[in-house]
Amino acid sequence: MAAADGLVFHEFEEATNLLAETPDAATTSKSDQLTPKGHVVVAVGSGGSYGVEEEVEEEGDKTALLQEEKPQPGFWTFSYYQSFFDVDTSQVLDRIKGSLLPWPGHNFVRHHLRNRPDLYGPFWICATLAFVLAVTGNLTLVLAQRRDPSVHYSPQFHKVTVAGITIYCYAWLVPLALWGFLRWRKGIRERMGPYTFLETVCIYGYSLFVFIPTVVLWLIPVPWLQWLFGALALTLSAAGLVFTLWPVVREDTRLVAAVLLSTVVVLHALLAMGCKLYFFQPLPPEHVAPPSQATSLPPNILPTPTMTRSMATS
């Protein structure tokens, strides 16, 4: 025991002398390796408990490693879907901006999703678009009645249901069909690498954002201006879809790529035109009985059958 205490004291004395001679260096009893200042570690003996550590550089790496080793929850659990809503406001705004400003060579998935698709943005974009469609469709009829009293208006609450079913079915069923088709073509063309289903849903969901301000602008009672706003929104939205899908379909044959992209644009156009024609159609004026063209007679004179036949023929 005395020999062990002497060894500990001797190694402490050597470490103290070395630190006094080289203040910017560190020493250990196991090696004479010098380390930069700020990483002072003094260890004594093979089983000694003496140690001072001021900074741990590998803490972040260990945390990341533990996160990677964490088991993924099953798709039937709430935690599995919670990860798809784990986005902040800056990410959502960046993806909205990317969908509004498409240009050739700019891939929405690679530049904005970055292998982290979310359902938060598409869900609320579809909900907002359905609500705005129903409200502005009713407001259009209210404004039309104020301009023309002959127009009969009653609240049309069923438009909320129709808008919700239409938008959500389009935002989920069309990406599902597109994803399934691309998966099928991947088995034929090995070089094709389709997006995941959630990435496809995310692409379509954010592409619908441009229609929200467009629907509000459709309140302007100028038909040619409404169609102009609709055409601009359709161009921006469809261009974003085409530019994003092109890197995937270009590996296929030209005929399949052309037909697929044309189908995507046509379906998008049908959605926009259907919303415009259904939710913003003017109501017909009320049926007003036409004024009688019969010749007025004094109240004390009754019309004879001859006069009645002549008035009917006239």
Coordinates of all heavy atoms in Angstrom, one line a residue, residues 296-303:
S296 N -106.7 46.3 -72.3 CA -107.4 46.7 -71.1 C -108.8 47.1 -71.5 O -109.0 47.9 -72.4 CB -106.7 47.8 -70.3 OG -106.5 48.9 -71.1
L297 N -109.8 46.7 -70.7 CA -111.2 47.1 -71.0 C -111.7 47.8 -69.7 O -111.3 47.5 -68.6 CB -112.0 45.8 -71.3 CG -111.6 45.1 -72.6 CD1 -112.5 43.8 -72.7 CD2 -111.8 46.0 -73.8
P298 N -112.7 48.6 -69.9 CA -113.4 49.2 -68.7 C -114.0 48.1 -67.8 O -114.3 47.0 -68.3 CB -114.5 50.0 -69.3 CG -114.0 50.3 -70.7 CD -113.3 49.1 -71.2
P299 N -114.0 48.3 -66.6 CA -114.5 47.3 -65.7 C -115.9 46.9 -65.9 O -116.3 45.8 -65.5 CB -114.3 47.9 -64.3 CG -114.2 49.4 -64.5 CD -113.7 49.6 -65.9
N300 N -116.8 47.8 -66.5 CA -118.2 47.4 -66.6 C -118.5 46.7 -67.9 O -119.7 46.4 -68.2 CB -119.1 48.7 -66.5 CG -118.6 49.7 -67.6 OD1 -117.6 49.6 -68.2 ND2 -119.5 50.8 -67.7
I301 N -117.5 46.4 -68.7 CA -117.7 45.7 -70.0 C -117.0 44.4 -69.9 O -115.8 44.3 -69.7 CB -117.1 46.6 -71.2 CG1 -117.8 47.9 -71.3 CG2 -117.2 45.8 -72.5 CD1 -117.3 48.8 -72.4
L302 N -117.7 43.3 -70.2 CA -117.2 42.0 -70.1 C -116.8 41.6 -71.6 O -117.5 41.9 -72.5 CB -118.2 41.0 -69.6 CG -118.6 41.2 -68.2 CD1 -119.8 40.2 -67.8 CD2 -117.5 41.1 -67.3
P303 N -115.6 40.9 -71.7 CA -115.2 40.5 -73.0 C -116.1 39.4 -73.6 O -116.5 38.5 -72.9 CB -113.8 40.0 -72.8 CG -113.7 39.6 -71.4 CD -114.7 40.5 -70.7

